[in-house]
Coordinates of all heavy atoms in Angstrom, one line a residue:
N8 N -76.9 16.5 -93.7 CA -75.4 16.7 -93.8 C -74.8 15.5 -94.5 O -73.6 15.6 -94.9 CB -74.8 16.9 -92.4 CG -74.9 18.3 -91.9 OD1 -75.3 19.2 -92.7 ND2 -74.7 18.6 -90.7
A9 N -75.5 14.4 -94.6 CA -75.0 13.3 -95.3 C -75.7 13.2 -96.6 O -76.7 13.9 -96.9 CB -75.2 12.0 -94.5
S10 N -75.3 12.2 -97.5 CA -75.9 12.0 -98.8 C -77.4 11.6 -98.6 O -77.7 10.7 -97.8 CB -75.2 11.0 -99.6 OG -75.9 10.6 -100.7
A11 N -78.3 12.3 -99.3 CA -79.7 11.9 -99.3 C -79.9 10.7 -100.0 O -81.0 10.1 -99.9 CB -80.5 13.1 -99.8
A12 N -79.0 10.2 -100.9 CA -79.1 9.0 -101.7 C -78.5 7.9 -100.9 O -78.2 8.0 -99.7 CB -78.5 9.2 -103.0
G13 N -78.2 6.8 -101.6 CA -77.5 5.7 -101.1 C -78.1 5.0 -99.8 O -79.3 4.8 -99.8
D14 N -77.2 4.8 -98.8 CA -77.7 4.1 -97.6 C -78.8 4.8 -96.9 O -79.7 4.1 -96.4 CB -76.5 3.9 -96.7 CG -75.4 3.0 -97.2 OD1 -75.7 2.2 -98.1 OD2 -74.3 3.0 -96.6
Q15 N -78.8 6.1 -96.8 CA -79.8 6.8 -96.1 C -81.2 6.7 -96.8 O -82.2 6.4 -96.2 CB -79.5 8.3 -95.9 CG -80.5 9.0 -95.0 CD -80.0 10.4 -94.5 OE1 -80.5 10.9 -93.6 NE2 -79.0 10.9 -95.1
R16 N -81.2 6.8 -98.1 CA -82.4 6.6 -98.9 C -82.9 5.2 -98.8 O -84.1 5.0 -98.6 CB -82.2 7.0 -100.4 CG -83.5 7.0 -101.1 CD -83.3 7.0 -102.6 NE -84.6 7.0 -103.3 CZ -85.4 5.9 -103.5 NH1 -84.9 4.7 -103.0 NH2 -86.5 6.0 -104.1
D17 N -82.1 4.2 -98.8 CA -82.5 2.8 -98.7 C -83.1 2.6 -97.3 O -84.1 1.9 -97.2 CB -81.3 1.9 -98.9 CG -80.8 1.9 -100.4 OD1 -81.5 2.4 -101.3 OD2 -79.7 1.4 -100.6
W18 N -82.4 3.1 -96.3 CA -83.0 3.0 -94.9 C -84.4 3.6 -94.8 O -85.3 3.1 -94.3 CB -82.0 3.6 -93.9 CG -82.6 3.6 -92.5 CD1 -82.5 2.6 -91.6 CD2 -83.4 4.6 -91.9 NE1 -83.2 2.9 -90.5 CE2 -83.7 4.2 -90.6 CE3 -83.8 5.9 -92.3 CZ2 -84.5 5.0 -89.7 CZ3 -84.5 6.7 -91.5 CH2 -84.9 6.2 -90.2
L19 N -84.5 4.9 -95.4 CA -85.8 5.6 -95.3 C -86.9 4.8 -96.0 O -88.0 4.7 -95.5 CB -85.6 7.0 -95.9 CG -86.9 7.8 -96.0 CD1 -87.4 8.1 -94.6 CD2 -86.6 9.1 -96.8
A20 N -86.6 4.2 -97.2 CA -87.6 3.5 -97.9 C -88.1 2.3 -97.1 O -89.3 2.0 -97.0 CB -87.0 3.0 -99.3
A21 N -87.1 1.6 -96.5 CA -87.5 0.4 -95.7 C -88.3 0.9 -94.4 O -89.3 0.2 -94.0 CB -86.3 -0.4 -95.3
E22 N -87.9 2.0 -93.8 CA -88.5 2.5 -92.6 C -90.0 2.9 -92.9 O -90.9 2.5 -92.2 CB -87.7 3.6 -92.0 CG -88.5 4.4 -90.9 CD -88.8 3.6 -89.7 OE1 -88.0 2.7 -89.3 OE2 -89.9 3.9 -89.1
L23 N -90.2 3.7 -93.9 CA -91.5 4.1 -94.3 C -92.4 3.0 -94.7 O -93.6 2.9 -94.3 CB -91.5 5.2 -95.4 CG -90.7 6.5 -95.1 CD1 -90.8 7.4 -96.3 CD2 -91.3 7.2 -93.8
A24 N -91.9 2.0 -95.4 CA -92.7 0.9 -95.8 C -93.1 0.1 -94.6 O -94.3 -0.4 -94.6 CB -91.9 0.0 -96.8
A25 N -92.3 -0.1 -93.6 CA -92.6 -0.8 -92.4 C -93.6 -0.1 -91.5 O -94.4 -0.6 -90.9 CB -91.4 -1.2 -91.7
S26 N -93.4 1.3 -91.4 CA -94.1 2.1 -90.5 C -95.5 2.5 -90.9 O -96.5 2.6 -90.1 CB -93.3 3.3 -90.1 OG -92.2 3.0 -89.4
R27 N -95.7 2.7 -92.2 CA -97.0 3.2 -92.7 C -98.2 2.3 -92.3 O -99.2 2.8 -91.9 CB -96.9 3.5 -94.2 CG -98.2 4.0 -94.8 CD -98.5 5.5 -94.5 NE -99.1 5.7 -93.2 CZ -99.4 6.9 -92.7 NH1 -99.1 8.0 -93.4 NH2 -99.9 7.0 -91.4
P28 N -98.1 1.0 -92.5 CA -99.2 0.2 -92.1 C -99.5 0.1 -90.6 O -100.6 -0.2 -90.2 CB -98.8 -1.2 -92.7 CG -97.7 -1.0 -93.6 CD -97.0 0.2 -93.1
R29 N -98.5 0.4 -89.8 CA -98.6 0.2 -88.3 C -99.0 1.4 -87.6 O -99.5 1.3 -86.5 CB -97.2 -0.2 -87.8 CG -96.7 -1.6 -88.3 CD -95.3 -1.9 -87.7 NE -95.3 -1.8 -86.3 CZ -94.2 -1.6 -85.6 NH1 -93.0 -1.5 -86.2 NH2 -94.3 -1.6 -84.2
Y30 N -98.8 2.6 -88.1 CA -99.0 3.9 -87.4 C -100.1 4.7 -88.0 O -100.1 4.9 -89.2 CB -97.7 4.7 -87.3 CG -96.6 4.0 -86.4 CD1 -95.7 3.1 -87.0 CD2 -96.6 4.2 -85.1 CE1 -94.8 2.4 -86.3 CE2 -95.6 3.5 -84.3 CZ -94.7 2.6 -84.9 OH -93.8 2.0 -84.2
R31 N -100.9 5.3 -87.2 CA -101.9 6.2 -87.7 C -101.3 7.5 -88.3 O -101.7 8.0 -89.3 CB -102.9 6.6 -86.6 CG -104.0 7.5 -87.0 CD -104.9 7.9 -85.9 NE -105.5 6.8 -85.2 CZ -106.7 6.2 -85.5 NH1 -107.4 6.7 -86.5 NH2 -107.1 5.2 -84.9
W32 N -100.2 8.0 -87.6 CA -99.5 9.2 -88.0 C -98.1 8.9 -88.2 O -97.4 8.3 -87.4 CB -99.7 10.3 -86.9 CG -101.1 10.7 -86.6 CD1 -101.8 10.3 -85.4 CD2 -102.0 11.4 -87.4 NE1 -103.0 10.8 -85.5 CE2 -103.2 11.5 -86.7 CE3 -101.9 12.0 -88.6 CZ2 -104.3 12.2 -87.2 CZ3 -103.0 12.7 -89.1 CH2 -104.2 12.8 -88.4

């Protein structure tokens, strides 16, 4: 319901980058 770009996309990029090495799934 919010913009998929901008702040939300930036947050997602940082979250996935931090989580992928730490979690199996």
Side-chain angles (χ1 to χ4, degrees):
N8 279 348
S10 172
D14 290 345
Q15 186 166 199
R16 186 193 181 281
D17 292 345
W18 175 87
L19 177 62
E22 168 62 34
L23 295 181
S26 293
R27 179 72 283 178
R29 296 178 54 200
Y30 294 89
R31 184 183 300 270
W32 300 108

